[in-house]
Each structure stands twice: as C-alpha cells, then as structure tokens.
Amino acid sequence: MNSIQRKLLYIFLPMTLVIVLLDNLFPGDAFVNYVKYATIIALFLFTLCIKKRHIEQLYMNIAIFFIVVADFFLVFCDTIPGIGDKLVILGVLAFLFAYIFLILAFQKNFKVGGWELLAALLVLILFVPNYITLWPHVTGLMFYGGTLFGIVLCYMAWTCICTLFKYHYRFGVACRIALAGCLMLISDIGVSQSFFNPAFQHRFNPGLASLIWATYVPAWTLIATIIAENNLLANHLFPN
C-alpha cells in the first residue's frame, strides 16, 4: 500500500466514525449533512489530484464525480425546506451514472461461470428481500424507476464481486473492489428503506443513517485507493 492509499484510509475511515457519531448525537441536524457533503467533496478532490495510469482509474474518478453531484441533491439540498424532496430524482440519476462508470471500469474479461453464478446469488439474497418488502409501498413511475435503478445497482455489485474471478486485476485489488461493491449494495438498500418504507419516511432514524454512511464512505474510499493503485492489473502470466 502506497502513501496516498494510506492517507485516504487514515482520513476517510475516521471521518466515517465522526459522521456516525454526529448522526447519533445530533439526529437530523443540517450541519451534519454539511459535514457529510464536505467529506464526499474532499474525497473527490483528493482523487482528482491522483495521476491515473489506466483508463479504468479514470472511469472510477468519473464515478466519484457523479456521487458528488448525487449528494448535492440528496444530502446538501435536503437541508433546504421545500426543495430537497423535489430533487431526489436528480440525485438518483447521478448515482445511476456513477454505477454505470463503475461497471465500465470493472467488467473487463466478463464471463459467466459457476463462481459468477454464486456471486449473483449472493447479490440476490441481499437485494430481493428488500425489494419484496418495499414493493407494496412504491407505485407509478417510482416503481419502474426504482426497479431499473435496482437492476443497475445489482449488476454493478455483481460486476465488482466477479473481479475476483476474472484475473484482470491483482487479487488484492479485486478484493477491495468486491468489498466496495457489497458495501454500496448494503448502503443503497438502507437508502431505499429510508425513502420508501413507511416506518422511516419523513423521519430521521439514527440507526438507519449510521448503516448507510458506515458502508457508503468506506465503499468509495476503497474505490479511491484503487484509483491510487500503482500496480492495478494482474500479471499476464495468470489466465484471462
């Protein structure tokens, strides 16, 4: 692990703990949202200064740019009364673009075999119960849009996990990619619960917020460490 990767971990993993602590000490306060958004902006600016050696790293950086855009609408604008709810769709679209760029980065040498099917099963085990739980509470265009987003989210998480079996990335890098994909999936499951589950709608739940941010920031921090990776690709002596 190089010095840039260590700095990323030393800065943003402790910030995750700070955010979780603030969510529990000051639930729903606007300044906590500002801290959250500032953290994501700082992560993007950090990665923007990193020299990219491979096109995949550029795709990842573009994905981080889109989460900055997404969090502007979903986190920053949520502090402005009467505006936040109207801009949710823009935040969701930005996340959709972020996941598409991650898919572009991680689907090299994609194939479907036994291990890939096992990975798909893992993703479905995590996602399907959440989808079934929320199904009765989502109607109209939100249902179709949410379903499309869920498909892209699951495909992205599956693609991340499958890097373990494709030998395009070094195994240690692939482990970080797979973990990041799983954390993003868990985080977005929490977000979907906050949006659509009547038990959480229109009220701040510190436990749910903690789950979302305790998985969200580490997931994208892992992506940032991959952007800073000097030895990204597997040795070509491995099978493709």
Side-chain angles (χ1 to χ4, degrees):
M1 183 166 289
N2 60 45
S3 61
I4 296 175
Q5 291 171 314
R6 285 194 293 271
K7 287 177 183 177
L8 283 163
L9 296 177
Y10 293 159
I11 294 170
F12 292 101
L13 294 187
M15 275 308 303
T16 303
L17 297 177
V18 170
I19 289 170
V20 169
L21 183 62
L22 291 175
D23 266 337
N24 285 272
L25 291 177
F26 308 100
D29 278 16
F31 93 91
V32 181
N33 277 29
Y34 299 144
V35 172
K36 292 174 178 176
Y37 190 51
T39 300
I40 299 305
I41 291 176
L43 183 65
F44 170 66
L45 293 177
F46 202 122
T47 57
L48 197 61
C49 297
I50 298 171
K51 181 180 179 181
K52 284 75 178 175
R53 294 170 172 79
H54 302 276
I55 186 66
E56 293 92 342
Q57 292 169 318
L58 177 60
Y59 289 152
M60 293 177 227
N61 216 154
I62 295 172
I64 294 180
F65 165 75
F66 276 112
I67 71 165
V68 172
V69 175
D71 279 342
F72 173 77
F73 296 116
L74 296 176
V75 177
F76 182 83
C77 290
D78 190 49
T79 65
I80 307 172
I83 292 181
D85 290 344
K86 299 175 183 178
L87 299 176
V88 167
I89 185 62
L90 296 177
V92 172
L93 284 173
F95 268 117
L96 194 67
F97 282 114
Y99 294 155
I100 288 171
F101 273 97
L102 289 185
I103 291 168
L104 290 174
F106 299 143
Q107 68 175 356
K108 281 288 188 71
N109 297 340
F110 187 81
K111 59 183 176 62
V112 178
W115 288 110
E116 287 79 9
L117 292 176
L118 187 61
L121 180 62
L122 171 63
V123 171
L124 292 175
I125 288 172
L126 288 172
F127 182 78
V128 170
N130 177 71
Y131 185 84
I132 293 172
T133 300
L134 297 179
W135 192 339
H137 308 297
V138 187
T139 57
L141 289 176
M142 289 298 291
F143 172 78
Y144 296 108
T147 299
L148 174 62
F149 183 87
I151 291 171
V152 174
L153 169 65
C154 288
Y155 186 80
M156 179 277 298
W158 184 39
T159 302
C160 287
I161 297 171
C162 288
T163 58
L164 292 168
F165 322 123
K166 292 184 292 188
Y167 305 106
H168 181 69
Y169 295 99
R170 288 194 307 108
F171 182 70
V173 173
C175 287
R176 275 182 275 150
I177 294 171
L179 179 57
C182 290
L183 290 175
M184 288 179 204
L185 178 61
I186 294 168
S187 179
D188 275 357
I189 287 172
V191 172
S192 67
Q193 287 289 327
S194 70
F195 280 149
F196 301 119
N197 191 328
F200 302 117
Q201 279 181 321
H202 310 300
R203 67 186 72 177
F204 184 85
N205 185 285
L208 186 58
S210 295
L211 172 67
I212 292 168
W213 285 88
T215 49
Y216 177 60
V217 177
W220 287 99
T221 300
L222 288 171
I223 296 297
T225 67
I226 299 162
I227 294 173
E229 181 66 46
N230 294 325
N231 302 305
L232 186 70
L233 304 182
N235 190 303
H236 291 297
L237 291 177
F238 286 98
N240 289 319

